[in-house]
Short mmCIF file of all heavy atoms in Angstrom, two decimals:
data_model
loop_
_atom_site.label_atom_id
_atom_site.label_comp_id
_atom_site.label_asym_id
_atom_site.label_seq_id
_atom_site.Cartn_x
_atom_site.Cartn_y
_atom_site.Cartn_z
N PRO A 1 9.27 10.31 11.51
CA PRO A 1 8.35 9.62 12.41
C PRO A 1 7.31 8.82 11.61
O PRO A 1 6.95 9.18 10.51
CB PRO A 1 7.70 10.74 13.19
CG PRO A 1 7.91 11.98 12.40
CD PRO A 1 9.13 11.75 11.56
N PHE A 2 6.85 7.75 12.20
CA PHE A 2 5.83 6.93 11.58
C PHE A 2 4.46 7.59 11.72
O PHE A 2 4.22 8.32 12.68
CB PHE A 2 5.78 5.54 12.23
CG PHE A 2 6.91 4.65 11.83
CD1 PHE A 2 7.95 4.40 12.70
CD2 PHE A 2 6.94 4.08 10.57
CE1 PHE A 2 9.00 3.58 12.34
CE2 PHE A 2 7.99 3.26 10.19
CZ PHE A 2 9.02 3.01 11.08
N PRO A 3 3.55 7.31 10.77
CA PRO A 3 2.18 7.82 10.91
C PRO A 3 1.54 7.27 12.18
O PRO A 3 1.85 6.17 12.62
CB PRO A 3 1.47 7.27 9.67
CG PRO A 3 2.56 6.90 8.72
CD PRO A 3 3.75 6.55 9.56
N GLY A 4 0.65 8.04 12.74
CA GLY A 4 0.00 7.65 13.99
C GLY A 4 -1.28 6.89 13.78
O GLY A 4 -1.77 6.74 12.66
N PRO A 5 -1.87 6.42 14.88
CA PRO A 5 -3.13 5.68 14.82
C PRO A 5 -4.23 6.51 14.15
O PRO A 5 -4.35 7.70 14.41
CB PRO A 5 -3.46 5.42 16.28
CG PRO A 5 -2.15 5.51 16.99
CD PRO A 5 -1.35 6.52 16.23
N GLY A 6 -4.96 5.87 13.28
CA GLY A 6 -6.08 6.53 12.63
C GLY A 6 -5.71 7.31 11.38
O GLY A 6 -6.58 7.66 10.60
N GLN A 7 -4.43 7.59 11.16
CA GLN A 7 -4.04 8.27 9.94
C GLN A 7 -4.13 7.31 8.77
O GLN A 7 -3.94 6.10 8.93
CB GLN A 7 -2.62 8.81 10.04
CG GLN A 7 -2.49 10.01 10.95
CD GLN A 7 -1.07 10.55 10.92
OE1 GLN A 7 -0.14 9.84 11.26
NE2 GLN A 7 -0.93 11.79 10.51
N GLU A 8 -4.43 7.84 7.61
CA GLU A 8 -4.52 7.01 6.40
C GLU A 8 -3.29 7.26 5.54
O GLU A 8 -2.91 8.40 5.30
CB GLU A 8 -5.79 7.33 5.64
CG GLU A 8 -7.02 6.96 6.44
CD GLU A 8 -8.31 7.31 5.73
OE1 GLU A 8 -8.27 8.05 4.74
OE2 GLU A 8 -9.35 6.82 6.18
N VAL A 9 -2.67 6.18 5.08
CA VAL A 9 -1.43 6.28 4.32
C VAL A 9 -1.59 5.57 2.98
O VAL A 9 -1.65 4.34 2.94
CB VAL A 9 -0.25 5.64 5.10
CG1 VAL A 9 1.03 5.74 4.30
CG2 VAL A 9 -0.10 6.29 6.46
N PRO A 10 -1.68 6.33 1.87
CA PRO A 10 -1.68 5.69 0.56
C PRO A 10 -0.25 5.36 0.16
O PRO A 10 0.66 6.16 0.37
CB PRO A 10 -2.28 6.76 -0.35
CG PRO A 10 -1.95 8.06 0.31
CD PRO A 10 -1.89 7.77 1.80
N ILE A 11 -0.04 4.18 -0.40
CA ILE A 11 1.29 3.75 -0.82
C ILE A 11 1.23 3.41 -2.30
O ILE A 11 0.69 2.36 -2.68
CB ILE A 11 1.78 2.55 0.01
CG1 ILE A 11 1.81 2.93 1.49
CG2 ILE A 11 3.15 2.10 -0.48
CD1 ILE A 11 2.13 1.77 2.40
N SER A 12 1.76 4.30 -3.12
CA SER A 12 1.80 4.07 -4.55
C SER A 12 2.80 2.97 -4.86
O SER A 12 3.90 2.95 -4.31
CB SER A 12 2.20 5.38 -5.25
OG SER A 12 2.29 5.19 -6.63
N GLY A 13 2.43 2.05 -5.73
CA GLY A 13 3.31 0.93 -6.03
C GLY A 13 3.32 -0.10 -4.91
O GLY A 13 4.28 -0.83 -4.74
N GLY A 14 2.24 -0.15 -4.14
CA GLY A 14 2.18 -1.01 -2.97
C GLY A 14 2.10 -2.50 -3.26
O GLY A 14 2.17 -3.30 -2.34
N GLY A 15 1.97 -2.88 -4.52
CA GLY A 15 1.86 -4.29 -4.84
C GLY A 15 3.17 -4.99 -5.13
O GLY A 15 3.21 -6.19 -5.25
N GLY A 16 4.25 -4.25 -5.23
CA GLY A 16 5.52 -4.90 -5.54
C GLY A 16 6.70 -3.98 -5.27
O GLY A 16 6.55 -2.78 -5.11
N GLY A 17 7.87 -4.56 -5.20
CA GLY A 17 9.10 -3.79 -5.04
C GLY A 17 9.16 -2.98 -3.75
O GLY A 17 8.78 -3.45 -2.68
N LEU A 18 9.64 -1.76 -3.87
CA LEU A 18 9.84 -0.91 -2.70
C LEU A 18 8.53 -0.57 -1.98
O LEU A 18 8.49 -0.50 -0.76
CB LEU A 18 10.55 0.39 -3.09
CG LEU A 18 11.99 0.23 -3.55
CD1 LEU A 18 12.53 1.56 -4.03
CD2 LEU A 18 12.85 -0.32 -2.43
N GLY A 19 7.47 -0.34 -2.76
CA GLY A 19 6.19 -0.02 -2.14
C GLY A 19 5.68 -1.13 -1.24
O GLY A 19 5.16 -0.90 -0.16
N ALA A 20 5.86 -2.37 -1.69
CA ALA A 20 5.43 -3.51 -0.89
C ALA A 20 6.26 -3.63 0.38
O ALA A 20 5.73 -3.88 1.46
CB ALA A 20 5.54 -4.80 -1.70
N ARG A 21 7.57 -3.43 0.27
CA ARG A 21 8.43 -3.50 1.47
C ARG A 21 8.09 -2.39 2.45
O ARG A 21 8.07 -2.61 3.66
CB ARG A 21 9.89 -3.45 1.06
CG ARG A 21 10.34 -4.78 0.47
CD ARG A 21 11.81 -4.80 0.27
NE ARG A 21 12.05 -4.22 -1.05
CZ ARG A 21 13.20 -4.24 -1.68
NH1 ARG A 21 14.25 -4.79 -1.10
NH2 ARG A 21 13.33 -3.73 -2.87
N LEU A 22 7.81 -1.20 1.92
CA LEU A 22 7.40 -0.09 2.79
C LEU A 22 6.10 -0.43 3.50
O LEU A 22 5.96 -0.20 4.71
CB LEU A 22 7.24 1.19 1.98
CG LEU A 22 6.67 2.38 2.73
CD1 LEU A 22 7.61 2.82 3.85
CD2 LEU A 22 6.41 3.53 1.77
N ALA A 23 5.15 -0.99 2.79
CA ALA A 23 3.85 -1.35 3.38
C ALA A 23 4.02 -2.36 4.51
O ALA A 23 3.40 -2.23 5.58
CB ALA A 23 2.91 -1.90 2.32
N VAL A 24 4.88 -3.36 4.30
CA VAL A 24 5.11 -4.38 5.34
C VAL A 24 5.72 -3.73 6.58
O VAL A 24 5.30 -3.98 7.71
CB VAL A 24 5.99 -5.52 4.80
CG1 VAL A 24 6.47 -6.43 5.92
CG2 VAL A 24 5.23 -6.32 3.74
N LYS A 25 6.72 -2.87 6.40
CA LYS A 25 7.37 -2.21 7.54
C LYS A 25 6.39 -1.30 8.28
O LYS A 25 6.36 -1.27 9.51
CB LYS A 25 8.59 -1.41 7.09
CG LYS A 25 9.74 -2.27 6.69
CD LYS A 25 10.26 -3.05 7.87
CE LYS A 25 11.45 -3.89 7.47
NZ LYS A 25 11.87 -4.79 8.54
N LEU A 26 5.60 -0.54 7.54
CA LEU A 26 4.62 0.34 8.20
C LEU A 26 3.60 -0.48 8.97
O LEU A 26 3.19 -0.10 10.07
CB LEU A 26 3.92 1.24 7.17
CG LEU A 26 4.73 2.41 6.65
CD1 LEU A 26 3.95 3.14 5.56
CD2 LEU A 26 5.09 3.37 7.77
N ALA A 27 3.18 -1.60 8.40
CA ALA A 27 2.20 -2.46 9.09
C ALA A 27 2.79 -2.98 10.40
O ALA A 27 2.06 -3.14 11.39
CB ALA A 27 1.79 -3.62 8.20
N GLN A 28 4.09 -3.23 10.42
CA GLN A 28 4.73 -3.76 11.62
C GLN A 28 4.94 -2.70 12.69
O GLN A 28 4.99 -3.02 13.87
CB GLN A 28 6.08 -4.39 11.26
CG GLN A 28 5.97 -5.63 10.42
CD GLN A 28 7.31 -6.07 9.86
OE1 GLN A 28 8.30 -5.35 9.89
NE2 GLN A 28 7.34 -7.29 9.34
N HIS A 29 5.07 -1.44 12.28
CA HIS A 29 5.51 -0.41 13.23
C HIS A 29 4.53 0.73 13.48
O HIS A 29 4.85 1.63 14.26
CB HIS A 29 6.83 0.19 12.75
CG HIS A 29 7.95 -0.81 12.73
ND1 HIS A 29 8.56 -1.28 13.86
CD2 HIS A 29 8.53 -1.45 11.69
CE1 HIS A 29 9.48 -2.15 13.54
NE2 HIS A 29 9.48 -2.29 12.22
N CYS A 30 3.40 0.74 12.84
CA CYS A 30 2.45 1.84 13.10
C CYS A 30 1.02 1.31 13.04
O CYS A 30 0.78 0.20 12.59
CB CYS A 30 2.65 2.99 12.12
SG CYS A 30 2.04 2.68 10.47
N GLN A 31 0.09 2.11 13.46
CA GLN A 31 -1.32 1.72 13.47
C GLN A 31 -2.13 2.54 12.48
O GLN A 31 -3.33 2.67 12.62
CB GLN A 31 -1.89 1.88 14.88
CG GLN A 31 -1.28 0.93 15.88
CD GLN A 31 -1.50 -0.52 15.47
OE1 GLN A 31 -2.60 -0.91 15.12
NE2 GLN A 31 -0.45 -1.31 15.49
N ALA A 32 -1.46 3.09 11.46
CA ALA A 32 -2.17 3.84 10.44
C ALA A 32 -2.91 2.88 9.51
O ALA A 32 -2.57 1.71 9.40
CB ALA A 32 -1.19 4.69 9.63
N ARG A 33 -3.94 3.41 8.85
CA ARG A 33 -4.67 2.62 7.86
C ARG A 33 -3.89 2.67 6.55
O ARG A 33 -3.59 3.75 6.06
CB ARG A 33 -6.07 3.19 7.67
CG ARG A 33 -6.89 3.13 8.95
CD ARG A 33 -8.24 3.74 8.77
NE ARG A 33 -8.98 2.91 7.82
CZ ARG A 33 -10.05 3.31 7.18
NH1 ARG A 33 -10.52 4.51 7.37
NH2 ARG A 33 -10.67 2.50 6.35
N LEU A 34 -3.58 1.53 5.97
CA LEU A 34 -2.75 1.46 4.77
C LEU A 34 -3.59 1.15 3.54
O LEU A 34 -4.38 0.20 3.53
CB LEU A 34 -1.67 0.39 4.94
CG LEU A 34 -0.77 0.55 6.16
CD1 LEU A 34 0.21 -0.61 6.24
CD2 LEU A 34 -0.04 1.87 6.14
N LEU A 35 -3.41 1.97 2.51
CA LEU A 35 -4.06 1.76 1.22
C LEU A 35 -2.96 1.52 0.20
O LEU A 35 -2.22 2.44 -0.16
CB LEU A 35 -4.91 2.96 0.83
CG LEU A 35 -5.51 2.94 -0.57
CD1 LEU A 35 -6.40 1.73 -0.76
CD2 LEU A 35 -6.26 4.22 -0.86
N LEU A 36 -2.80 0.28 -0.22
CA LEU A 36 -1.80 -0.07 -1.22
C LEU A 36 -2.39 0.16 -2.60
O LEU A 36 -3.46 -0.36 -2.92
CB LEU A 36 -1.39 -1.54 -1.07
CG LEU A 36 -0.50 -1.89 0.11
CD1 LEU A 36 -1.16 -1.63 1.43
CD2 LEU A 36 -0.05 -3.32 0.00
N LEU A 37 -1.73 0.98 -3.40
CA LEU A 37 -2.22 1.33 -4.73
C LEU A 37 -1.29 0.75 -5.79
O LEU A 37 -0.06 0.82 -5.65
CB LEU A 37 -2.26 2.86 -4.90
CG LEU A 37 -3.10 3.61 -3.88
CD1 LEU A 37 -2.85 5.11 -4.01
CD2 LEU A 37 -4.56 3.30 -4.09
N GLY A 38 -1.87 0.22 -6.85
CA GLY A 38 -1.06 -0.31 -7.94
C GLY A 38 -1.84 -0.32 -9.23
O GLY A 38 -3.06 -0.23 -9.24
N ARG A 39 -1.12 -0.41 -10.34
CA ARG A 39 -1.76 -0.46 -11.65
C ARG A 39 -2.22 -1.86 -12.01
O ARG A 39 -3.15 -2.03 -12.79
CB ARG A 39 -0.81 0.06 -12.73
CG ARG A 39 -0.59 1.56 -12.61
CD ARG A 39 0.35 2.03 -13.67
NE ARG A 39 1.67 1.49 -13.38
CZ ARG A 39 2.72 1.59 -14.18
NH1 ARG A 39 2.59 2.20 -15.33
NH2 ARG A 39 3.88 1.09 -13.84
N ARG A 40 -1.55 -2.88 -11.45
CA ARG A 40 -1.88 -4.26 -11.80
C ARG A 40 -3.12 -4.75 -11.06
O ARG A 40 -3.32 -4.41 -9.90
CB ARG A 40 -0.73 -5.19 -11.43
CG ARG A 40 0.52 -4.95 -12.20
CD ARG A 40 1.56 -5.96 -11.85
NE ARG A 40 1.78 -5.97 -10.39
CZ ARG A 40 2.53 -6.86 -9.77
NH1 ARG A 40 3.12 -7.81 -10.43
NH2 ARG A 40 2.69 -6.80 -8.47
N PRO A 41 -3.92 -5.58 -11.71
CA PRO A 41 -5.00 -6.24 -10.97
C PRO A 41 -4.38 -7.24 -10.00
O PRO A 41 -3.22 -7.63 -10.15
CB PRO A 41 -5.81 -6.95 -12.05
CG PRO A 41 -4.94 -7.02 -13.23
CD PRO A 41 -3.92 -5.92 -13.13
N ARG A 42 -5.15 -7.63 -9.01
CA ARG A 42 -4.63 -8.60 -8.03
C ARG A 42 -4.22 -9.88 -8.72
O ARG A 42 -4.90 -10.37 -9.61
CB ARG A 42 -5.68 -8.87 -6.96
CG ARG A 42 -5.83 -7.70 -6.00
CD ARG A 42 -6.80 -8.01 -4.92
NE ARG A 42 -6.14 -8.84 -3.92
CZ ARG A 42 -6.33 -8.70 -2.61
NH1 ARG A 42 -7.13 -7.79 -2.16
NH2 ARG A 42 -5.71 -9.49 -1.77
N ASP A 43 -3.09 -10.39 -8.28
CA ASP A 43 -2.57 -11.66 -8.76
C ASP A 43 -1.94 -12.36 -7.56
O ASP A 43 -1.94 -11.80 -6.46
CB ASP A 43 -1.58 -11.45 -9.91
CG ASP A 43 -0.36 -10.61 -9.53
OD1 ASP A 43 -0.01 -10.52 -8.33
OD2 ASP A 43 0.27 -10.05 -10.44
N PRO A 44 -1.40 -13.56 -7.71
CA PRO A 44 -0.84 -14.27 -6.55
C PRO A 44 0.27 -13.50 -5.83
O PRO A 44 0.36 -13.55 -4.61
CB PRO A 44 -0.33 -15.58 -7.15
CG PRO A 44 -1.22 -15.82 -8.32
CD PRO A 44 -1.48 -14.45 -8.89
N GLN A 45 1.11 -12.79 -6.58
CA GLN A 45 2.18 -12.01 -5.94
C GLN A 45 1.60 -10.89 -5.08
O GLN A 45 2.03 -10.68 -3.95
CB GLN A 45 3.12 -11.43 -7.00
CG GLN A 45 4.23 -10.58 -6.40
CD GLN A 45 5.10 -9.92 -7.46
OE1 GLN A 45 4.95 -10.18 -8.66
NE2 GLN A 45 5.99 -9.06 -7.03
N ILE A 46 0.63 -10.17 -5.60
CA ILE A 46 0.01 -9.09 -4.84
C ILE A 46 -0.77 -9.66 -3.66
O ILE A 46 -0.74 -9.10 -2.56
CB ILE A 46 -0.88 -8.21 -5.75
CG1 ILE A 46 0.02 -7.44 -6.72
CG2 ILE A 46 -1.75 -7.27 -4.93
CD1 ILE A 46 -0.72 -6.66 -7.76
N ASP A 47 -1.45 -10.77 -3.87
CA ASP A 47 -2.16 -11.41 -2.75
C ASP A 47 -1.21 -11.76 -1.61
O ASP A 47 -1.55 -11.63 -0.44
CB ASP A 47 -2.91 -12.65 -3.22
CG ASP A 47 -4.14 -12.33 -4.05
OD1 ASP A 47 -4.63 -11.19 -3.97
OD2 ASP A 47 -4.60 -13.22 -4.79
N ALA A 48 0.01 -12.20 -1.95
CA ALA A 48 1.00 -12.53 -0.93
C ALA A 48 1.45 -11.29 -0.17
O ALA A 48 1.60 -11.31 1.06
CB ALA A 48 2.21 -13.23 -1.56
N VAL A 49 1.62 -10.18 -0.89
CA VAL A 49 1.99 -8.91 -0.23
C VAL A 49 0.88 -8.47 0.71
O VAL A 49 1.12 -8.12 1.87
CB VAL A 49 2.28 -7.81 -1.27
CG1 VAL A 49 2.42 -6.45 -0.60
CG2 VAL A 49 3.52 -8.14 -2.07
N VAL A 50 -0.35 -8.49 0.22
CA VAL A 50 -1.50 -8.07 1.04
C VAL A 50 -1.63 -8.95 2.27
O VAL A 50 -1.86 -8.46 3.38
CB VAL A 50 -2.80 -8.05 0.20
CG1 VAL A 50 -4.01 -7.80 1.08
CG2 VAL A 50 -2.71 -7.00 -0.90
N ALA A 51 -1.45 -10.25 2.11
CA ALA A 51 -1.54 -11.17 3.25
C ALA A 51 -0.44 -10.86 4.27
O ALA A 51 -0.69 -10.89 5.48
CB ALA A 51 -1.44 -12.61 2.78
N SER A 52 0.75 -10.55 3.79
CA SER A 52 1.85 -10.22 4.69
C SER A 52 1.57 -8.94 5.47
O SER A 52 1.83 -8.86 6.67
CB SER A 52 3.14 -10.07 3.87
OG SER A 52 4.21 -9.74 4.69
N VAL A 53 1.02 -7.94 4.80
CA VAL A 53 0.68 -6.68 5.47
C VAL A 53 -0.46 -6.91 6.46
O VAL A 53 -0.41 -6.45 7.60
CB VAL A 53 0.30 -5.60 4.43
CG1 VAL A 53 -0.26 -4.36 5.10
CG2 VAL A 53 1.52 -5.23 3.58
N LYS A 54 -1.48 -7.66 6.04
CA LYS A 54 -2.63 -7.90 6.91
C LYS A 54 -2.29 -8.74 8.14
O LYS A 54 -3.00 -8.69 9.13
CB LYS A 54 -3.77 -8.54 6.12
CG LYS A 54 -4.48 -7.56 5.23
CD LYS A 54 -5.71 -8.19 4.61
CE LYS A 54 -6.52 -7.12 3.93
NZ LYS A 54 -7.93 -7.26 4.15
N ALA A 55 -1.20 -9.50 8.07
CA ALA A 55 -0.79 -10.28 9.24
C ALA A 55 -0.49 -9.36 10.42
O ALA A 55 -0.73 -9.72 11.57
CB ALA A 55 0.44 -11.12 8.90
N ASP A 56 0.03 -8.17 10.13
CA ASP A 56 0.34 -7.20 11.18
C ASP A 56 -0.69 -6.09 11.28
O ASP A 56 -0.76 -5.40 12.29
CB ASP A 56 1.72 -6.57 10.92
CG ASP A 56 2.84 -7.56 11.14
OD1 ASP A 56 2.90 -8.12 12.24
OD2 ASP A 56 3.63 -7.78 10.21
N HIS A 57 -1.46 -5.89 10.22
CA HIS A 57 -2.41 -4.77 10.21
C HIS A 57 -3.62 -5.14 9.36
O HIS A 57 -3.64 -4.93 8.15
CB HIS A 57 -1.72 -3.53 9.64
CG HIS A 57 -2.41 -2.27 10.00
ND1 HIS A 57 -3.71 -2.00 9.67
CD2 HIS A 57 -1.97 -1.20 10.69
CE1 HIS A 57 -4.04 -0.81 10.11
NE2 HIS A 57 -3.00 -0.31 10.74
N PRO A 58 -4.64 -5.73 9.95
CA PRO A 58 -5.77 -6.26 9.18
C PRO A 58 -6.60 -5.20 8.45
O PRO A 58 -7.43 -5.55 7.62
CB PRO A 58 -6.61 -6.99 10.22
CG PRO A 58 -6.18 -6.45 11.53
CD PRO A 58 -4.77 -5.99 11.38
N ASP A 59 -6.37 -3.92 8.71
CA ASP A 59 -7.16 -2.86 8.09
C ASP A 59 -6.62 -2.44 6.73
O ASP A 59 -7.17 -1.57 6.09
CB ASP A 59 -7.21 -1.66 9.03
CG ASP A 59 -8.36 -0.73 8.74
OD1 ASP A 59 -9.36 -1.17 8.14
OD2 ASP A 59 -8.27 0.45 9.08
N ALA A 60 -5.53 -3.03 6.24
CA ALA A 60 -4.94 -2.64 4.97
C ALA A 60 -5.75 -3.18 3.80
O ALA A 60 -6.35 -4.25 3.88
CB ALA A 60 -3.51 -3.17 4.89
N ILE A 61 -5.77 -2.41 2.69
CA ILE A 61 -6.46 -2.86 1.48
C ILE A 61 -5.58 -2.56 0.26
O ILE A 61 -4.69 -1.73 0.31
CB ILE A 61 -7.85 -2.21 1.29
CG1 ILE A 61 -7.74 -0.70 1.17
CG2 ILE A 61 -8.78 -2.59 2.42
CD1 ILE A 61 -9.03 -0.05 0.75
N TYR A 62 -5.86 -3.24 -0.85
CA TYR A 62 -5.18 -3.02 -2.12
C TYR A 62 -6.22 -2.56 -3.13
O TYR A 62 -7.30 -3.14 -3.24
CB TYR A 62 -4.50 -4.29 -2.62
CG TYR A 62 -3.83 -4.11 -3.96
CD1 TYR A 62 -2.57 -3.54 -4.04
CD2 TYR A 62 -4.46 -4.47 -5.15
CE1 TYR A 62 -1.95 -3.34 -5.27
CE2 TYR A 62 -3.85 -4.29 -6.37
CZ TYR A 62 -2.60 -3.72 -6.42
OH TYR A 62 -1.99 -3.52 -7.63
N ALA A 63 -5.88 -1.52 -3.88
CA ALA A 63 -6.75 -1.03 -4.95
C ALA A 63 -5.93 -0.92 -6.23
O ALA A 63 -4.82 -0.37 -6.21
CB ALA A 63 -7.35 0.32 -4.59
N SER A 64 -6.46 -1.45 -7.31
CA SER A 64 -5.73 -1.38 -8.58
C SER A 64 -6.44 -0.44 -9.54
O SER A 64 -7.64 -0.22 -9.45
CB SER A 64 -5.60 -2.76 -9.21
OG SER A 64 -6.87 -3.26 -9.57
N GLY A 65 -5.66 0.10 -10.44
CA GLY A 65 -6.20 1.00 -11.45
C GLY A 65 -5.18 2.07 -11.75
O GLY A 65 -4.13 2.16 -11.13
N PHE A 66 -5.48 2.89 -12.72
CA PHE A 66 -4.59 3.98 -13.08
C PHE A 66 -5.08 5.23 -12.36
O PHE A 66 -6.25 5.56 -12.38
CB PHE A 66 -4.60 4.20 -14.59
CG PHE A 66 -3.64 5.25 -15.04
CD1 PHE A 66 -2.28 4.96 -15.09
CD2 PHE A 66 -4.07 6.50 -15.37
CE1 PHE A 66 -1.37 5.92 -15.48
CE2 PHE A 66 -3.17 7.46 -15.77
CZ PHE A 66 -1.82 7.17 -15.82
N TYR A 67 -4.19 5.92 -11.72
CA TYR A 67 -4.55 7.13 -11.01
C TYR A 67 -3.58 8.24 -11.40
O TYR A 67 -2.44 8.00 -11.74
CB TYR A 67 -4.56 6.91 -9.49
CG TYR A 67 -3.33 6.21 -8.98
CD1 TYR A 67 -2.24 6.94 -8.52
CD2 TYR A 67 -3.25 4.82 -8.96
CE1 TYR A 67 -1.11 6.31 -8.08
CE2 TYR A 67 -2.11 4.19 -8.50
CZ TYR A 67 -1.03 4.95 -8.07
OH TYR A 67 0.09 4.32 -7.63
N PHE A 68 -4.07 9.47 -11.36
CA PHE A 68 -3.28 10.63 -11.79
C PHE A 68 -3.39 11.68 -10.71
O PHE A 68 -4.49 12.02 -10.28
CB PHE A 68 -3.83 11.13 -13.13
CG PHE A 68 -3.09 12.31 -13.66
CD1 PHE A 68 -1.76 12.22 -14.01
CD2 PHE A 68 -3.73 13.52 -13.82
CE1 PHE A 68 -1.08 13.30 -14.51
CE2 PHE A 68 -3.06 14.61 -14.32
CZ PHE A 68 -1.73 14.50 -14.68
N THR A 69 -2.26 12.22 -10.30
CA THR A 69 -2.27 13.17 -9.20
C THR A 69 -2.16 14.62 -9.65
O THR A 69 -2.08 15.52 -8.82
CB THR A 69 -1.11 12.89 -8.21
OG1 THR A 69 0.12 12.95 -8.93
CG2 THR A 69 -1.29 11.52 -7.57
N GLY A 70 -2.14 14.86 -10.92
CA GLY A 70 -2.05 16.24 -11.41
C GLY A 70 -0.74 16.47 -12.14
O GLY A 70 0.10 15.60 -12.28
N GLY A 71 -0.56 17.68 -12.60
CA GLY A 71 0.67 17.99 -13.31
C GLY A 71 0.54 17.70 -14.79
O GLY A 71 -0.53 17.48 -15.32
N ARG A 72 1.66 17.68 -15.46
CA ARG A 72 1.68 17.44 -16.89
C ARG A 72 2.33 16.10 -17.19
O ARG A 72 3.20 15.65 -16.47
CB ARG A 72 2.47 18.55 -17.58
CG ARG A 72 1.87 19.92 -17.32
CD ARG A 72 2.56 20.91 -18.11
NE ARG A 72 1.80 21.00 -19.37
CZ ARG A 72 2.01 21.88 -20.28
NH1 ARG A 72 2.97 22.76 -20.14
NH2 ARG A 72 1.30 21.90 -21.37
N TRP A 73 1.92 15.48 -18.27
CA TRP A 73 2.51 14.22 -18.71
C TRP A 73 3.87 14.45 -19.27
O TRP A 73 4.26 15.29 -19.88
CB TRP A 73 1.63 13.54 -19.75
CG TRP A 73 0.35 13.07 -19.18
CD1 TRP A 73 -0.85 13.68 -19.29
CD2 TRP A 73 0.14 11.90 -18.37
NE1 TRP A 73 -1.79 12.95 -18.61
CE2 TRP A 73 -1.23 11.87 -18.05
CE3 TRP A 73 0.96 10.90 -17.92
CZ2 TRP A 73 -1.78 10.86 -17.28
CZ3 TRP A 73 0.40 9.90 -17.16
CH2 TRP A 73 -0.94 9.89 -16.85
#
């Protein structure tokens, strides 16, 4: 099932490839808040992904940086 209204969905790798496609589909089919996460700073390709997601869901944002969720390297 898709996330519901008001739920927050972080998408790792949201700036390109599969993560970007997932973000676009979620924006089209659910009302969850989308947080696209990526290691790259914003560039024209990422801006295009964000614009595509925001066309269906204006509450989406992109954040870049390195993040670690735990575990061992």
Side-chain angles (χ1 to χ4, degrees):
F2 285 106
Q7 287 184 300
E8 295 178 347
V9 180
I11 301 173
S12 178
L18 293 175
R21 285 189 273 190
L22 174 64
V24 169
K25 288 295 182 187
L26 284 175
Q28 292 169 347
H29 296 286
C30 75
Q31 294 300 312
R33 298 178 66 198
L34 304 177
L35 173 59
L36 286 63
L37 303 170
R39 290 180 291 173
R40 295 184 306 172
R42 287 183 79 141
D43 60 23
Q45 179 184 353
I46 291 174
D47 287 341
V49 170
V50 172
S52 180
V53 171
K54 285 188 170 222
D56 290 304
H57 200 301
D59 201 23
I61 61 170
Y62 178 82
S64 65
F66 184 76
Y67 48 93
F68 180 63
T69 58
R72 301 186 91 172
W73 292 101

